[in-house]
Amino acid sequence: MTNSRDRQKVIVIGAGPVGALAALYAAKRGDNVEVYELRDDLRDPATTPLNFTKSINLALSERGINSMRLAKCEGLLDAVLSETIPMHGRMIHGRGTHGELYEESQAYDAQGRSIRAVDRAVLNKRLLNHLEQMPNVALNFNHKLTGADFKKNVAWFEQRKHPKTDHAQNPTGDTSVEAEPERPKEISVNFDFLIGADGAHSAARYHMMKFARVTYQQEYIDTLWCEFHIEPRSLDGSFAISPNHLHIWPGGSFMFIAIPSADKSFTCTLFAPESYFVSLSDSSPEVLVSSFAQNFPGVCPELISPAQLNKQFTENPHLPLISIKCSPYHFKSSVIILGDAAHAMVPFYGQGMNAGLEDVRVLFELLDDHDVYNDSPHLATTIEERRAGALNAYTAQRAPDAAAINDLALRNYEEMRSGVKSPIYRLRKWFEESINVYLPSLRWRTQYTRVSFENQRYSEVEKAVAKQGKIIVTGIGLSFVGIMGLAAFGISKKTYLRR
């Protein structure tokens, strides 16, 4: 049993952005922290990403920014933000009725706020560099979690000489790295508290489920994704299209998006049903170019040459999208899972990383509220009892929030691939933003504003937006009744006068 005056030993599984931020929060509170990562050092460009893409650009918004701000690590947030690109809205691309290409900018927020494009590797590097400078933190790469006993608080790891490169989300695997010549050495590690932040295919969650009665739901949606790349302009090295937008080519049942990078290129993604990928894979290169010309006008050959389009489509993996819900997120006082390990979601709201970073903030606020870091010798309960109370409160609060943003992300795919072109969508957006600007006392905001530029709980966002929707529908209904009433009165009056 840990004495309240002793430092906790916290081990974090996963050194991605969520795990790294959790380690920072724990270390800043005085815990002895050990981070264990399956892969090689994530700051090394040679380390193979789990999904085998060359680069991953993410959308950083208020929830993630606020969580890093409250980590209270001097210089961290400024360093991260200095390497981001503000995106003020969506740029919708299409072809007009006369065949001309067009762009239509749709601002994200009536107040002019923006989300930020950030390179995952750059963000990860900043977080790990801060961790490495802390004397009570140890970083352990090439360590695979192979087991855990959450009653005795001990975990087992394999120490690997070669980085782990295969992954469940990459069905093709990778044979470029030699197999281990002998069985890896296994070590055991005792701990007071384990934080699992090791992604959608979480080993921490897998081992926790042997102890906790976890309700678990996993869904692969009928959409695959493939990464593409738009190079800077060859003449002057500038951005080929506006750098301050998230670019969308909506295609109804599929879409193509582009997010700016600091090197003035764009990381692009094709999202489409599996049948679309299969049909293109079985067709000639000319069919792919023709499909892009028809569905994503202005991409090829204007931004990506036909040769590069075919090369990238052929060589880059076609990966699935997984959605995970589970509860509880913890077992007693011993373990908790955060981020994708607890609630992997599809990427269409840009909230996966932001929700994971917010998980860290919420968790440590609850640990503080439950006096886990209170050094007073006069507390009536043990630190384990207080931590167990905090973890219970975390699951109770965070599970409905995670379920809400998971559902919102799924629904936002429909908006992005087709709704952004709908007159009804544009009318509601204009109406809600007008109320926000001219009648701020009503505190009426769009769903996107609530999700991306505020820290309101996701479950409360869902309820507030549903309430606003009912008000709009009721208002339209009353207006229709009023118009019909006036029309009926006019007809009656006209008929009466004719008599």
Side-chain angles (χ1 to χ4, degrees):
M1 185 176 292
T2 308
N3 186 287
S4 62
R5 295 186 176 212
D6 294 337
R7 284 185 174 185
Q8 298 180 107
K9 182 177 179 181
V10 176
I11 66 173
V12 179
I13 311 301
V18 175
L21 186 65
L24 277 172
Y25 267 71
K28 291 289 286 187
R29 284 162 172 77
D31 292 337
N32 287 320
V33 180
E34 296 178 5
V35 180
Y36 292 89
E37 168 58 46
L38 177 66
R39 296 161 289 176
D40 205 346
D41 192 331
L42 304 182
R43 294 166 293 184
D44 183 350
T47 299
T48 307
L50 286 181
N51 54 22
F52 282 73
T53 55
K54 295 176 183 176
S55 60
I56 305 174
N57 279 24
L58 301 170
L60 179 63
S61 56
E62 167 58 23
R63 295 172 194 271
I65 292 171
N66 186 49
S67 299
M68 285 189 283
R69 181 186 299 118
L70 294 178
K72 298 179 180 177
C73 294
E74 185 178 354
L76 171 63
L77 185 58
D78 288 341
V80 169
L81 294 181
S82 70
E83 296 182 281
T84 64
I85 300 174
M87 297 186 292
H88 305 300
R90 298 165 174 163
M91 184 70 80
I92 311 303
H93 295 258
R95 195 178 294 280
T97 54
H98 300 292
E100 74 284 2
L101 296 175
Y102 72 81
E103 296 179 336
E104 178 193 331
S105 177
Q106 296 181 357
Y108 281 132
D109 179 57
Q111 307 297 331
R113 290 171 290 190
S114 59
I115 62 175
R116 293 173 176 269
V118 60
D119 185 287
R120 180 189 177 96
V122 170
L123 172 61
N124 224 152
K125 181 178 180 180
R126 292 295 185 185
L127 290 165
L128 291 175
N129 284 347
H130 269 75
L131 274 177
E132 197 169 48
Q133 296 169 11
M134 304 186 77
N136 53 329
V137 175
L139 300 177
N140 302 280
F141 298 102
N142 296 321
H143 280 67
K144 178 184 179 181
L145 179 67
T146 57
D149 186 331
F150 293 115
K151 291 183 178 179
K152 297 180 180 179
N153 284 11
V154 59
W156 292 273
F157 297 88
E158 284 183 351
Q159 292 179 306
R160 294 173 171 266
K161 296 179 182 178
H162 297 293
K164 178 73 172 175
T165 56
D166 61 321
H167 191 264
Q169 280 195 328
N170 180 49
T172 61
D174 183 12
T175 58
S176 62
V177 178
E178 295 180 6
E180 294 285 348
E182 57 187 33
R183 182 175 177 81
K185 178 184 177 182
E186 188 171 78
I187 62 170
S188 63
V189 179
N190 295 307
F191 60 87
D192 295 308
F193 183 35
L194 184 147
I195 299 174
D198 50 340
H201 302 280
S202 168
R205 182 186 66 232
Y206 172 77
H207 294 297
M208 186 187 80
M209 290 173 72
K210 299 174 185 177
F211 293 83
R213 293 183 295 177
V214 177
T215 300
Y216 179 81
Q217 175 186 335
Q218 173 180 301
E219 177 187 3
Y220 282 99
I221 68 170
D222 183 25
T223 299
L224 300 181
W225 66 278
C226 179
E227 183 183 279
F228 292 83
H229 196 70
I230 296 176
E231 296 288 346
R233 286 195 178 102
S234 57
L235 291 177
D236 57 4
S238 62
F239 286 102
I241 47 180
S242 166
N244 299 121
H245 290 85
L246 187 153
H247 295 262
I248 303 176
W249 285 260
S253 61
F254 37 68
M255 70 175 180
F256 188 81
I257 68 170
I259 298 178
S261 300
D263 64 358
K264 299 188 178 180
S265 67
F266 282 83
T267 299
C268 310
T269 312
L270 169 64
F271 297 99
E274 183 178 10
S275 58
Y276 181 78
F277 278 93
V278 171
S279 66
L280 291 178
S281 298
D282 294 340
S283 303
S284 66
E286 291 76 20
V287 172
L288 176 65
V289 174
S290 175
S291 178
F292 262 69
Q294 179 181 348
N295 297 300
F296 314 120
V299 172
C300 180
E302 290 86 349
L303 301 173
I304 305 176
S305 70
Q308 274 299 312
L309 188 74
N310 276 285
K311 184 177 188 299
Q312 293 176 38
F313 180 80
T314 303
E315 294 182 357
N316 292 344
H318 305 161
L319 299 171
L321 292 171
I322 192 172
S323 174
I324 291 174
K325 296 178 183 178
C326 69
S327 184
Y329 296 145
H330 72 287
F331 175 70
K332 295 186 176 179
S333 66
S334 300
V335 57
I336 196 158
I337 52 175
L338 306 177
D340 283 355
H343 48 70
M345 66 191 73
V346 294
F348 304 118
Y349 229 123
Q351 286 295 302
M353 178 188 68
N354 291 287
L357 297 178
E358 188 178 58
D359 286 348
V360 176
R361 174 185 66 79
V362 173
L363 170 62
F364 280 88
E365 284 179 354
L366 289 169
L367 290 170
D368 290 341
D369 291 344
H370 284 75
D371 289 324
V372 171
Y373 293 100
N374 188 333
D375 289 334
S376 171
H378 305 298
L379 295 172
T381 55
T382 66
I383 190 172
E384 287 83 5
E385 291 170 332
R386 299 195 297 277
R387 193 189 309 118
L391 302 192
N392 274 319
Y394 177 86
T395 287
Q397 174 176 328
R398 204 60 180 158
D401 288 343
I405 188 56
N406 205 305
D407 293 340
L408 289 171
L410 279 168
R411 292 200 291 269
N412 205 49
Y413 184 32
E414 174 65 28
E415 177 179 305
M416 292 179 71
R417 69 187 184 183
S418 61
V420 290
K421 298 170 70 174
S422 164
I424 295 176
Y425 163 80
R426 296 175 184 176
L427 179 62
R428 175 167 178 170
K429 186 175 188 295
W430 171 83
F431 175 76
E432 292 187 317
E433 290 181 343
S434 296
I435 293 178
N436 178 243
V437 171
Y438 298 109
L439 296 170
S441 60
L442 296 180
R443 297 185 60 78
W444 189 298
R445 285 99 70 206
T446 65
Q447 177 175 288
Y448 196 93
T449 290
R450 292 177 184 272
V451 168
S452 298
F453 302 117
E454 299 178 4
N455 294 290
Q456 184 180 24
R457 289 181 57 184
Y458 290 121
S459 56
E460 293 177 358
V461 169
E462 199 170 34
K463 292 174 184 175
V465 171
K467 182 179 179 180
Q468 289 179 183
K470 289 178 181 178
I471 293 172
I472 291 174
V473 170
T474 301
I476 293 173
L478 291 174
S479 298
F480 179 76
V481 170
I483 291 170
M484 293 302 293
L486 287 172
F489 175 76
I491 293 170
S492 299
K493 183 176 180 181
K494 189 175 182 179
T495 302
Y496 175 78
L497 291 174
R498 283 179 178 175
R499 294 178 183 174

